[in-house]
Amino acid sequence: MIDLRRPARWWLPALLALCGLGASSIAAAGERAVFRSQMPDGRVVYADEPAAGAVRSARLLVEPHPGDPAQALAAQRALEGTRARLLQQGQARSLKLAELDRGIAVAQRELSVAQSAQTDGQTVVEGDRQGRRFAPSYWQRQQFLAQAVARARLQLDALRAERAALQ
């Protein structure tokens, strides 16, 4: 005798497993598509499929929201924490940029002063010559002034590079 209930016992778990797999894959996707359609009279219609006769249609992805209020609250708190951290980082970055701007202004003034001193230091004064040749003190002064300009330029370039890295 054939037991007609036996195939039902075999198909039922398989069917339930298949349905569960399908439901989990839909839930894993995490997003749902909604279409925004603009009608010829200017109305906007949101639906699962583009509206017939629409002038324009756009596909929008909508995030699912947790059904559990505790999960929703936890997600909201996590979002607020992330927002607070981002605001704090943004304020710190703004302060650092302002500090760098002040440092760049000071470094530009120092470079300008060093360049002026180098230009003025090229003027030959009494004691700079030994006959027709320049004295070692003249060359030492020129070297010192050139090094001061190079240091000021390096400092300015470093501050500008640091500022560019923050932008």
Side-chain angles (χ1 to χ4, degrees):
M1 183 165 170
I2 298 175
D3 187 6
L4 296 175
R5 291 178 292 171
R6 186 163 174 99
R9 287 183 192 161
W10 179 81
W11 280 100
L12 185 60
L15 183 62
L16 289 175
L18 188 59
C19 290
L21 181 64
S24 68
S25 68
I26 290 171
E31 295 179 338
R32 180 176 160 222
V34 175
F35 289 89
R36 179 186 187 273
S37 302
Q38 185 175 358
M39 303 308 284
D41 60 355
R43 287 183 305 127
V44 176
V45 177
Y46 293 93
D48 293 336
E49 294 180 4
V55 175
R56 234 182 279 161
S57 291
R59 183 173 188 242
L60 306 173
L61 295 178
V62 180
E63 295 179 7
H65 295 282
D68 183 19
Q71 272 185 331
L73 186 61
Q76 185 68 27
R77 285 185 183 153
L79 184 63
E80 288 172 2
T82 301
R83 183 176 181 272
R85 276 193 313 277
L86 288 175
L87 285 173
Q88 185 179 19
Q89 290 171 354
Q91 289 171 347
R93 184 175 164 270
S94 293
L95 290 174
K96 183 66 176 174
L97 284 172
E99 177 186 331
L100 286 172
D101 286 340
R102 287 189 299 272
I104 286 171
V106 169
Q108 284 175 334
R109 283 192 299 273
E110 289 175 358
L111 178 59
S112 177
V113 167
Q115 287 172 334
S116 295
Q118 185 180 27
T119 302
D120 294 343
Q122 291 175 347
T123 305
V124 179
V125 295
E126 188 176 331
D128 283 346
R129 290 194 183 262
Q130 291 178 340
R132 295 182 73 199
R133 296 176 186 240
F134 288 113
S137 61
Y138 175 81
W139 294 116
Q140 289 171 352
R141 183 175 73 227
Q142 295 305 313
Q143 187 177 22
F144 174 78
L145 293 171
Q147 289 173 350
V149 168
R151 279 193 305 273
R153 190 170 280 130
L154 281 174
Q155 182 180 5
L156 179 60
D157 290 344
L159 289 170
R160 285 179 176 165
E162 188 176 352
R163 188 179 195 297
L166 282 178
Q167 289 182 339

